[in-house]
Amino acid sequence: MDTSIIIALDYSNKEELDHLLDRLKQERLFVKIGMEAYFQYGPGLIERLKEQGHRVFLDLKLHDIPNTVGKAMKGLASLEVDLINVHASGGRRMMHAALEGLEAGTPLGKNRPLCIGVTQLTSSSEEMIKKELNIALNMKESVVSLARLSKDSGLDGVVSSALEVPLIKESCGNDFLTVTPGIRLEGDLAGDQNRVCTPSKARKLGSDYIVVGRSITASMNPVSAYEKLKSEWGTLHEINR
Ligand code: C5P
């Protein structure tokens, strides 16, 4: 079973979230819970997903002073999520504190959640980071520089667009995880995303995990959209081996 497709359960309505899970209930999924669902349903939702046997990426993108991030991570680690993240732009000390908090909060005998750094959001464009954030580097340079900082700070990988994966792997090594949102099936709307990519292109570029939200959740038929994604992602996987 291929669980390297992470489904973003971006619902602020529990019935809709449960409906999707119910339709996919034969599968052991890798799901992403972001701010939208976590801030409404809290730790209970994570506990339920874990009980159902799903893997969970808790996408809260922490970004605060090191002490606060460390303590927050200690609490979140007790939920036994599989993957969690921080904004890499919070810096080295913040990322160290995140890892220390996760180590301290991981229950005895369990694995610490993998921790990845958000580089530049996939909704950001080069023009936006230049004009609004005054970042002098171009998009690719900025993403690689934040990936390098994440790696040097001990993180397990990064969130980026699939388009930047080859450069990240070149700079940080093949084992450094790349988790890539901004995935769209051919013909889907990009919405607020800027640096988008199809699943098969993401696979070719070397992405380890793709994160897919609206291509599944906004589809008229989410189950067949998920199946389509799996076959696009899976077929190439076989060819590559
Ligand atoms: O609906 P869509 O497929 O665009 O959803 C992408 C998901 O990935 C959203 O939950 C969004 O918060 C998340 N994400 C992102 N870009 C990042 C990090 C996370 O789009 N850099």
Side-chain angles (χ1 to χ4, degrees):
M1 194 185 336
D2 191 351
T3 50
S4 49
I5 298 177
I6 303 178
I7 305 178
L9 296 177
D10 292 328
Y11 290 108
S12 47
N13 173 323
K14 218 172 190 169
E15 284 69 45
E16 285 180 50
L17 192 152
D18 283 339
H19 184 63
L20 182 72
L21 288 177
D22 198 49
R23 292 184 72 181
L24 293 168
K25 74 169 168 236
Q26 281 85 345
E27 314 248 0
R28 184 174 172 260
L29 306 171
F30 199 158
V31 295
K32 181 175 89 65
I33 295 297
M35 298 185 215
E36 196 175 337
Y38 190 77
F39 289 160
Q40 298 216 51
Y41 306 117
L45 172 61
I46 308 294
E47 283 156 13
R48 183 157 66 87
L49 290 165
K50 293 299 298 180
E51 272 163 29
Q52 289 168 352
H54 302 308
R55 295 170 77 199
V56 177
F57 170 18
L58 185 56
D59 176 24
L60 297 181
K61 302 187 182 72
L62 299 194
H63 190 171
D64 209 320
I65 60 168
N67 183 55
T68 303
V69 169
K71 291 203 169 126
M73 283 299 193
K74 187 174 174 195
L76 293 170
S78 67
L79 297 173
E80 297 181 34
V81 295
D82 302 275
L83 187 61
I84 198 156
N85 59 1
V86 292
H87 269 287
S89 52
R92 190 187 298 267
R93 276 177 59 220
M94 191 203 76
M95 288 190 264
H96 282 164
L99 290 172
E100 277 170 22
L102 287 172
E103 292 285 358
T106 300
L108 221 62
K110 302 282 180 178
N111 293 326
R112 147 175 98 64
L114 293 173
C115 186
I116 56 179
V118 178
T119 55
Q120 294 291 352
L121 295 171
T122 39
S123 53
S124 300
S125 65
E126 188 146 319
E127 195 193 359
M128 180 272 198
I129 67 164
K130 274 209 160 78
K131 286 195 178 151
E132 297 179 22
L133 308 182
N134 287 315
I135 292 176
L137 301 175
N138 69 32
M139 179 61 80
K140 287 203 162 122
E141 289 165 344
S142 166
V143 168
V144 171
S145 146
L146 288 163
R148 208 47 254 179
L149 179 65
S150 304
K151 162 112 180 153
D152 294 344
S153 305
L155 262 52
D156 303 296
V158 281
V159 188
S160 73
S161 149
L163 307 173
E164 291 113 26
V165 167
L167 285 174
I168 294 170
K169 295 282 186 184
E170 196 185 305
S171 169
C172 303
N174 235 349
D175 294 342
F176 194 60
L177 287 180
T178 50
V179 177
T180 62
I183 299 295
R184 292 291 180 269
L185 286 165
E186 216 68 70
D188 283 347
L189 295 173
D192 57 351
Q193 297 283 23
N194 259 301
R195 298 174 356 259
V196 297
C197 191
T198 61
S200 57
K201 188 164 175 211
R203 169 67 88 188
K204 277 188 206 140
L205 291 169
S207 187
D208 296 296
Y209 291 90
I210 51 172
V211 177
V212 188
R214 283 162 290 184
S215 280
I216 296 174
T217 57
S219 158
M220 296 292 280
N221 189 339
V223 178
S224 72
Y226 184 52
E227 291 304 325
K228 198 166 164 203
L229 274 152
K230 280 202 300 186
S231 70
E232 228 193 272
W233 180 254
T235 312
L236 262 138
H237 192 49
E238 275 160 29
I239 292 167
N240 282 347
R241 273 193 296 209

